[in-house]
Amino acid sequence: RGLSGLKSIGGDFEINSSGFSSYPSFSPSSSLSKLSSFEGLGNLEIIGGNFRIISTSSSSVGSLSSLSSFRGLSGLKSIGGDFEINSSASNLYSSTSSDVSSSLSKLSSFEGLDRLGTIGGNFRIISTSSSTSSSLASLFSFGGLRGLKSIGGDFEINVSSYPSSSDVSSSLSKLSSFEGLGSLEIIGGNFRIISSYSLFSLSSFSGFRGLKSIGGDFEVVSSNKKSGIFDYCALKTALQTLNGNYKVSGNAYNPTKEQILNGECSTTDI
């Protein structure tokens, strides 16, 4: 609060938070643990550079554990650079094996960014979790981005979980759709969905019903094998003009580009 007169930022807007236990004493330490919204920035319309949220947790303290949405940024219309959420959780400095580390645990959607129309650079969500930890555990859709029409650079979701045989580890475990991106028409760069033992709830691209073109490569690669994405039908229009490389592997269904364009864009044989 106190920034109600701020209308533009020429450079970057960045929140960088860490929650950890100080080794070797394991005394809890956290930053921005009470930040729950962006209230006070309602008149901000333009960010000329990048918009980044970086959250790292290595203990049960958690990082940005109260932030649940982008409420308070209702006036934001354009971001000149990248839009990036980078979330990482591990149990590196936990005092007991039963502690669960979490990063951005309450962020459930993009509500609050309804007027955001353009992102000049990349749109990236990067999420990593390992050893009894969770990252972006509540994010279930792209709701709140209904005004977004163009991304100048890449659209990328890169998610990894590295559990041991006895651990619970999850990244973006509840993300089930791309609903909220129905107005997005242009991705100027690459389209990438990379997942390793994660994104188990995501089965289709149904939220991309308005996407018309992808300027770079198309890549959907997973290690989930017989679970995950099996419906690519919403991307048929965008793939008609794709001139970049096409790579799809490791998903529940892995059609060629020609199969998608010929109507074989989904399967029930999983």
Side-chain angles (χ1 to χ4, degrees):
R1 295 186 181 275
L3 293 171
S4 58
L6 184 64
K7 292 187 175 182
S8 67
I9 296 172
D12 298 345
F13 179 98
E14 180 174 316
I15 295 176
N16 195 322
S17 172
S18 297
F20 59 92
S21 292
S22 302
Y23 180 83
S25 65
F26 296 113
S27 57
S29 175
S30 65
S31 60
L32 297 173
S33 60
K34 294 184 178 180
L35 181 68
S36 60
S37 75
F38 294 90
E39 290 295 339
L41 291 171
N43 289 317
L44 180 63
E45 297 180 355
I46 299 170
I47 296 174
N50 303 311
F51 181 104
R52 289 195 180 108
I53 297 178
I54 302 170
S55 176
T56 305
S57 174
S58 57
S59 78
S60 57
V61 174
S63 176
L64 286 172
S65 54
S66 298
L67 188 64
S68 59
S69 73
F70 292 87
R71 183 168 48 89
L73 290 171
S74 58
L76 187 61
K77 297 177 181 178
S78 69
I79 296 171
D82 298 344
F83 179 98
E84 181 177 320
I85 298 176
N86 193 325
S87 175
S88 176
S90 68
N91 234 15
L92 183 62
Y93 295 128
S94 176
S95 57
T96 68
S97 59
S98 61
D99 287 342
V100 176
S101 170
S102 65
S103 174
L104 284 167
S105 58
K106 290 186 178 180
L107 187 65
S108 59
S109 73
F110 294 84
E111 292 298 332
L113 292 172
D114 305 72
R115 297 184 67 189
L116 180 61
T118 60
I119 295 172
N122 304 308
F123 180 101
R124 286 197 179 108
I125 299 178
I126 302 169
S127 179
T128 305
S129 64
S130 62
S131 183
T132 56
S133 64
S134 65
S135 172
L136 289 168
S138 298
L139 187 64
F140 67 93
S141 80
F142 290 83
L145 289 172
R146 61 183 64 89
L148 185 62
K149 292 186 176 181
S150 68
I151 295 171
D154 299 346
F155 179 94
E156 179 177 343
I157 298 177
N158 196 321
V159 191
S160 300
S161 292
Y162 301 102
S164 72
S165 59
S166 60
D167 287 337
V168 176
S169 174
S170 64
S171 283
L172 280 171
S173 57
K174 291 185 179 179
L175 185 66
S176 58
S177 79
F178 292 94
E179 290 301 326
L181 290 170
S183 297
L184 182 62
E185 297 178 354
I186 299 170
I187 295 173
N190 304 310
F191 183 104
R192 288 196 176 106
I193 310 293
I194 312 294
S195 62
S196 176
Y197 301 103
S198 52
L199 292 179
F200 293 111
S201 299
L202 189 63
S203 60
S204 78
F205 293 97
S206 60
F208 283 109
R209 54 188 171 274
L211 189 61
K212 297 178 180 178
S213 68
I214 297 169
D217 299 339
F218 180 86
E219 185 175 357
V220 182
V221 177
S222 172
S223 62
N224 296 344
K225 301 301 181 185
K226 292 187 177 181
S227 63
I229 297 170
F230 61 83
D231 187 339
Y232 300 75
C233 296
L235 297 172
K236 184 176 179 180
T237 299
L239 290 175
Q240 287 176 348
T241 57
L242 181 75
N243 292 316
N245 298 316
Y246 177 94
K247 183 179 180 181
V248 174
S249 66
N251 305 284
Y253 180 47
N254 301 284
T256 64
K257 183 174 75 169
E258 289 71 25
Q259 283 179 304
I260 294 175
L261 297 181
N262 289 333
E264 300 172 64
C265 52
S266 66
T267 183
T268 56
D269 185 20
I270 54 175

